[in-house]
Amino acid sequence: MTQKAACFPPQVRLREPAEFKRVFAKAERSTDKYFTVLAIVNELDFPRLGLAIAKKNIRRAVDRNKIKRSARESFRLQQHEMINIDIVVMARRDAATANSKILQASLDNHWLRLNKRCATYS
């Protein structure tokens, strides 16, 4: 039995503006009190994550960094159950005051929801 490594290498990150634009253009959307998460099927064999945590919504850098860490960690642990999708996570104002466990639970629900929605397109 082989276990896949739970890591976050550079190839599973969205980096280029064109990659983000592609997701924003025609994406499946999942929203709750803390996050809006967009996803679209990609042509690769693995999911990728992009973060768009706006200073307009989350004022303090400390809070933005906490949210980014939570999103990366949740993605890192769940990426092997996901299909090949590009994901962009956007934080809402309530995410700044939530603790890490609440953020993790919220993101786990988003991953499941988007996996089901995007599976019909792949």
Side-chain angles (χ1 to χ4, degrees):
M1 180 169 112
T2 61
Q3 184 178 3
K4 294 184 180 181
C7 56
F8 193 65
Q11 64 263 23
V12 299
R13 302 175 194 169
L14 293 179
R15 293 180 167 203
E16 301 296 320
E19 295 170 341
F20 280 89
K21 283 182 185 176
R22 186 175 159 268
V23 175
F24 285 122
K26 46 184 174 181
E28 286 294 320
R29 181 182 299 259
S30 176
T31 303
D32 69 0
K33 184 177 178 181
Y34 305 108
F35 295 102
T36 297
V37 183
L38 307 173
I40 190 168
V41 176
N42 67 28
E43 302 82 31
L44 306 171
D45 292 332
F46 50 88
R48 297 188 300 174
L49 175 69
L51 300 170
I53 312 300
K55 192 185 285 189
K56 178 181 176 182
N57 291 335
I58 313 295
R59 287 281 181 210
R60 296 182 342 151
V62 148
D63 295 332
R64 288 194 303 275
N65 290 334
K66 176 185 78 167
I67 292 166
K68 289 184 214 176
R69 279 193 304 274
S70 290
R72 284 189 205 109
E73 181 66 8
S74 178
F75 178 82
R76 184 183 72 82
L77 295 173
Q78 297 292 324
Q79 68 183 335
H80 299 296
E81 283 88 41
M82 292 185 196
I83 60 172
N84 54 329
I85 53 179
D86 288 343
I87 300 168
V88 174
V89 175
M90 298 183 296
R92 300 180 73 162
R93 285 195 170 96
D94 289 335
T97 57
N99 67 28
S100 294
K101 287 191 183 268
I102 293 173
L103 296 177
Q104 292 276 338
S106 173
L107 287 166
D108 288 344
N109 287 333
H110 287 298
W111 305 148
L112 290 173
R113 213 176 296 154
L114 290 170
N115 257 343
K116 288 178 187 174
R117 289 182 188 168
C118 291
T120 59
Y121 298 112
S122 61

